[in-house]
Amino acid sequence: MNTRVFKYLFSPVFGILLFAVACEKSPAELIPSHETIEPEPITIPTDDQMDVRVSADMPTAVFSTFADNTTGAALVKRLAVSTSAVDENTRMILFKGKDIEKMSDDQIEDIADMLFRRGYVAIETPTTNDMLTFVAALIVVQTQREEDYIDKNFIFGPDVNPETDVAASLSARYNARMNTMQSIATRAGIDNPDGVLAEMVILSNTEYFYQQPGGGEIGIGSTPVDDEGNAAETKTERITIERTPYYCGLMADAAAQWLNDADKRQEKTRAAARGLATRAGNDSLNNLMDASETFSISGPLYDRFANHKIYSRRNGVINTFRSWGVHNMKTNRDYYYIQQDVLIRIGEVPDACKIYFPMGESRWYDADDFAPYDSWYGSFFSRYITSMKLTGNGSILLEEALPYTDNSTSYKTVNVGSEQSFTETLGVTWGGTIGLSPSVNFGGEYSLGNTSGSYVEMSTSQVDNDISVIKNTSGNKVTWTYVGNVPTYREWNEGGYRKYGHTIAPNALVNDINMNNQICWSVINPSGQYTIEVTSHPYTGALLFQYNINRVENLPHTMVETHTEEQNEFSHTLLDPFRATQTWRMYVTIDKMKDGGPAGGAAGQIESRLSTKFPDCYRDMLSLCDRTPTSVQVIAANVEYAKRVFKNNEDILQQFAQEQNVEKYTIHWRSDNPDIELREGYSVEVL
């Protein structure tokens, strides 16, 4: 070494310079700040928490004995009133699937009667064979009842086969439901007819609830995602879900909540039906009539916590599909409108599991099993991907779908034809007594109302600012991807130290999340039923971080998404709309004048008074829509409804007679089809 340099190294000046350089080194560059918290043990309760009770008026007849640790037993505990027998106040019947084969004919008739009275039938853990047996038995009873009822009211010519039409109308709804449930089970790998089809199935006239089978082993995927949202290879592991009272209680909570919500919707439906005939004919179709079918499916959501354990949130994702189907008679074109409501219950976890809030931005949980990462922050909603596609015969066109890519309120209308393209059927509940032994009440309902609207109205409210939605369209398939504003890694200097932390998850990602998608297709020259193919893939996220004191630049971090590896795909069979028209005419005949003189214009005067006072019952012409050209399902409902209203207002009808000096008159219904004739009209007599 040069002597001059060697001496310089030990000079006082160099010592001062060396000290100054050392002082320029910030402690933050040498001692990064990293606050960690030891995760508290997570204890899942074992007892039923009874979070949801059946608050609706739902006296229930329980046909089965349920063992402990079953969803059926948990649901019974949530009922205000439960008995073993059916009476006039019963609104629901509950039994387990394996007891279906032991049911008597009287019990099947009780169930059919319950459905006709706007009641509910709940079936716990049925197999595919159980449900097929039940649906077949139910259709037999309902078909016979309606055949007898219609035969009592109509005379049919040789070219009409009402039995076939009745069977088709009754079986269509239940066959569609079976197709949907079997599709879900098959896609989830339950292809054994003796395997459990569902944890709980609840049926009503126009709605049904399906809960995916619980317990057992399930595959969970973990997918690392970088800052740009690119996903790496997914790793899968298997976890086992135990059927504890707590677990079964969560399953029963979903059924109880659905019953409460469904009963509220029925109350609205009844109120709407009472005022349906007076509503403006130019309203949108989906405002003028109820959905032809409402299908709800409850499924799990999975979280990954700091101790590397995966937790299942039962009822974490609830999908509700409402479907409307109408047919334009002039253009021979179907229109199908579907509304999908998604509820992701990210905030519904036991208190013991809420370990991710509150938590400062500079704090992390210790995580031992995420090598090479040792720090963890989560768990939060990451993204949700769902899609719908219509399949079937004919030329299928996508008319419109909401929401769009942005976060603004969306509104669209789809024209489906002129007002004259549709029919005038009343949304009524009808009933009577038929000659079964023992005698039972008979009734039914038709949810189609005055469908003289000419468009479908679609609108969605603004999506939360912390959640964006991207809509992609491919042919007649639409995919919606909801992405959360997820926490990100960040670093900063504070108090002379470099800190490594994360942003805080917004409230929108750690509480209940509601999403709404709407779609409308048209089908040119349709035939048969149509099916929507649905996908539903929820993801939760956790932010991972690798702290290493020897590395102070670009410390590794990533986000891991947790999701089920099972197939969250299924098909939902839609009811085909009524595609045939019938024209019926209403008129009055004068049977007897009080003075024995000529009737003159009395019939016309009474008809005018009837159409003014009872616009929902009396029209001089009814253009009715039905499933087949010869079916009399809808006119039977309208006639029975009108007769019941007339009977309850006999004094008013008698007043019309007195005003015209009439002693007796009869209201008639006549079909333009000479092969269909109503057996008798409704007579009014002033004694």
Side-chain angles (χ1 to χ4, degrees):
M1 180 181 295
N2 185 288
T3 304
R4 184 180 299 178
V5 175
F6 182 83
K7 291 180 179 180
Y8 181 75
L9 288 175
F10 289 93
S11 68
V13 176
F14 181 79
I16 294 172
L17 291 173
L18 183 64
F19 177 78
V21 171
C23 288
E24 288 179 0
K25 290 289 185 180
S26 161
E29 295 186 34
L30 300 177
I31 311 175
S33 176
H34 183 73
E35 301 178 55
T36 58
I37 306 171
E38 184 70 24
E40 296 180 7
I42 300 174
T43 304
I44 301 295
T46 56
D47 296 335
D48 187 350
Q49 302 297 291
M50 297 289 292
D51 288 335
V52 182
R53 309 275 184 138
V54 179
S55 58
D57 183 18
M58 200 74 60
T60 301
V62 182
F63 283 178
S64 299
T65 300
F66 295 98
D68 294 336
N69 291 5
T70 63
T71 302
L75 183 57
V76 170
K77 289 194 299 183
R78 284 158 171 75
L79 300 169
V81 179
S82 61
T83 64
S84 59
V86 178
D87 59 34
E88 60 182 11
N89 296 317
T90 303
R91 291 206 61 211
M92 185 168 75
I93 297 174
L94 169 65
F95 50 89
K96 52 190 174 186
K98 70 178 184 179
D99 288 343
I100 289 173
E101 62 181 14
K102 298 183 292 186
M103 283 186 177
S104 65
D105 292 342
D106 288 344
Q107 287 178 313
I108 294 294
E109 288 178 357
D110 284 338
I111 292 171
D113 192 43
M114 179 64 53
L115 289 172
F116 277 132
R117 296 203 312 266
R118 286 183 176 267
Y120 302 86
V121 175
I123 310 170
E124 190 227 47
T125 57
T127 66
T128 300
N129 281 339
D130 291 336
M131 284 301 298
L132 288 171
T133 300
F134 174 71
V135 167
L138 192 63
I139 289 175
V140 167
V141 172
Q142 290 177 327
T143 300
Q144 187 59 55
R145 287 184 176 193
E146 207 155 334
E147 283 178 2
D148 292 344
Y149 173 80
I150 289 176
D151 187 59
K152 187 180 76 172
N153 284 277
F154 295 92
I155 300 172
F156 299 101
D159 296 329
V160 178
N161 185 354
E163 291 83 4
T164 301
D165 294 333
V166 169
S169 67
L170 287 171
S171 63
R173 185 178 298 273
Y174 288 100
N175 285 337
R177 294 177 176 186
M178 276 303 305
N179 289 339
T180 296
M181 288 186 284
Q182 286 181 285
S183 163
I184 299 171
T186 300
R187 300 283 181 100
I190 307 170
D191 52 4
N192 180 1
D194 294 320
V196 175
L197 179 71
E199 184 73 18
M200 181 75 73
V201 172
I202 306 178
L203 307 175
S204 73
N205 271 359
T206 58
E207 298 194 39
Y208 70 111
F209 168 83
Y210 173 93
Q211 193 170 39
Q212 291 177 297
E217 191 178 77
I218 191 155
I220 302 298
S222 300
T223 307
V225 180
D226 63 22
D227 291 343
E228 283 73 41
N230 300 314
E233 181 180 356
T234 297
K235 297 181 180 180
T236 304
E237 58 189 293
R238 310 296 294 182
I239 65 170
T240 300
I241 309 239
E242 298 181 4
R243 299 186 64 88
T244 62
Y246 168 72
Y247 173 83
C248 294
L250 291 180
M251 303 291 269
D253 282 344
Q257 187 63 57
W258 184 87
L259 287 167
N260 293 336
D261 294 342
D263 198 61
K264 290 178 183 178
R265 286 192 291 268
Q266 282 208 14
E267 286 297 328
K268 291 181 180 179
T269 298
R270 285 191 285 268
R274 287 191 291 269
L276 196 54
T278 60
R279 297 186 63 175
N282 59 355
D283 279 0
S284 65
L285 285 165
N286 46 312
N287 283 334
L288 284 170
M289 66 180 186
D290 299 322
S292 56
E293 186 87 317
T294 299
F295 166 59
S296 299
I297 175 172
S298 172
L301 184 69
Y302 297 95
D303 282 309
R304 183 181 300 275
F305 289 96
N307 57 359
H308 198 57
K309 287 187 177 180
I310 296 171
Y311 292 93
S312 171
R313 301 172 188 249
R314 307 318 297 175
N315 322 311
V317 181
I318 299 177
N319 260 290
T320 299
F321 297 89
R322 295 181 177 88
S323 59
W324 285 256
V326 293
H327 182 75
N328 188 317
M329 303 295 172
K330 292 184 177 180
T331 62
N332 190 27
R333 193 165 181 162
D334 279 356
Y335 290 85
Y336 296 97
Y337 166 63
I338 311 295
Q339 179 174 307
Q340 176 192 19
D341 292 303
V342 185
L343 171 62
I344 297 184
R345 308 180 71 180
I346 193 74
E348 295 296 320
V349 295
D351 289 338
C353 295
K354 293 182 178 178
I355 65 172
Y356 43 84
F357 282 112
M359 189 177 187
E361 291 188 357
S362 62
R363 308 186 80 181
W364 301 82
Y365 285 114
D366 285 332
D368 298 329
D369 297 322
F370 285 96
Y373 304 100
D374 53 20
S375 304
W376 174 95
Y377 172 71
S379 171
F380 41 81
F381 167 80
S382 172
R383 59 186 172 129
Y384 178 72
I385 303 175
T386 184
S387 68
M388 285 189 281
K389 177 183 179 181
L390 188 69
T391 61
N393 299 321
S395 178
I396 300 175
L397 303 175
L398 174 64
E399 295 286 345
E400 191 59 77
L402 299 178
Y404 292 105
T405 303
D406 58 20
N407 278 20
S408 61
T409 300
S410 302
Y411 177 82
K412 279 286 184 179
T413 60
V414 176
N415 291 321
V416 297
S418 65
E419 292 184 20
Q420 291 74 28
S421 300
F422 296 94
T423 59
E424 298 181 35
T425 64
L426 292 175
V428 299
T429 301
W430 50 295
T433 302
I434 61 175
L436 292 180
S437 182
S439 180
V440 296
N441 291 327
F442 173 75
E445 91 180 45
Y446 287 83
S447 61
L448 287 178
N450 273 320
T451 56
S452 55
S454 59
Y455 62 95
V456 171
E457 182 179 276
M458 306 170 65
S459 63
T460 60
S461 58
Q462 183 173 340
V463 179
D464 192 285
N465 287 331
D466 287 313
I467 302 175
S468 62
V469 55
I470 300 172
K471 185 190 79 171
N472 291 313
T473 301
S474 176
N476 66 345
K477 177 182 178 180
V478 177
T479 301
W480 292 269
T481 301
Y482 289 84
V483 179
N485 182 18
V486 300
T488 57
Y489 162 84
R490 63 185 293 257
E491 62 178 83
W492 69 98
N493 289 323
E494 183 178 315
Y497 288 91
R498 177 176 295 175
K499 289 195 173 185
Y500 301 99
H502 51 80
T503 56
I504 296 293
N507 288 334
L509 306 190
V510 293
N511 289 293
D512 284 358
I513 301 169
N514 290 282
M515 305 167 187
N516 176 274
N517 302 317
Q518 297 171 57
I519 191 166
C520 183
W521 294 279
S522 66
V523 183
I524 301 173
N525 300 323
S527 65
Q529 288 183 308
Y530 290 80
T531 298
I532 55 170
E533 294 180 351
V534 181
T535 64
S536 173
H537 295 283
Y539 298 79
T540 60
L543 190 64
L544 301 179
F545 171 63
Q546 181 184 350
Y547 170 70
N548 187 328
I549 196 170
N550 295 319
R551 296 177 58 190
V552 295
E553 299 295 337
N554 301 319
L555 296 182
H557 62 279
T558 188
M559 184 182 73
V560 168
E561 291 184 322
T562 301
H563 51 95
T564 176
E565 285 295 281
E566 311 298 331
Q567 291 287 340
N568 281 343
E569 302 173 357
F570 58 92
S571 58
H572 175 45
T573 302
L574 305 176
L575 292 178
D576 54 308
F578 293 172
R579 298 189 182 117
T581 54
Q582 297 175 7
T583 302
W584 288 74
R585 302 176 191 278
M586 292 182 68
Y587 62 96
V588 170
T589 59
I590 304 300
D591 301 314
K592 186 177 181 180
M593 298 292 293
K594 283 187 176 180
D595 55 9
Q605 290 296 322
I606 291 176
E607 287 177 355
S608 177
R609 297 282 276 142
L610 285 168
S611 62
T612 301
K613 194 69 174 179
F614 302 97
D616 56 335
C617 298
Y618 192 93
R619 296 185 181 89
D620 58 355
M621 186 178 74
L622 294 172
S623 296
L624 300 176
C625 191
D626 226 314
R627 298 202 180 279
T628 69
T630 58
S631 178
V632 292
Q633 294 281 319
V634 178
I635 186 61
N638 280 272
V639 170
E640 193 62 29
Y641 170 74
K643 286 183 177 181
R644 187 168 67 247
V645 172
F646 291 156
K647 184 177 181 180
N648 292 337
N649 295 276
E650 187 81 12
D651 56 337
I652 298 178
L653 271 64
Q654 289 176 341
Q655 179 185 339
F656 295 165
Q658 292 171 339
E659 291 172 354
Q660 301 300 320
N661 201 33
V662 171
E663 184 173 319
K664 181 180 180 182
Y665 67 91
T666 302
I667 303 169
H668 300 272
W669 291 261
R670 175 181 293 171
S671 173
D672 283 3
N673 183 347
D675 289 324
I676 304 175
E677 182 181 347
L678 199 68
R679 287 189 181 274
E680 59 184 27
Y682 185 87
S683 295
V684 180
E685 187 171 4
V686 180
L687 301 178

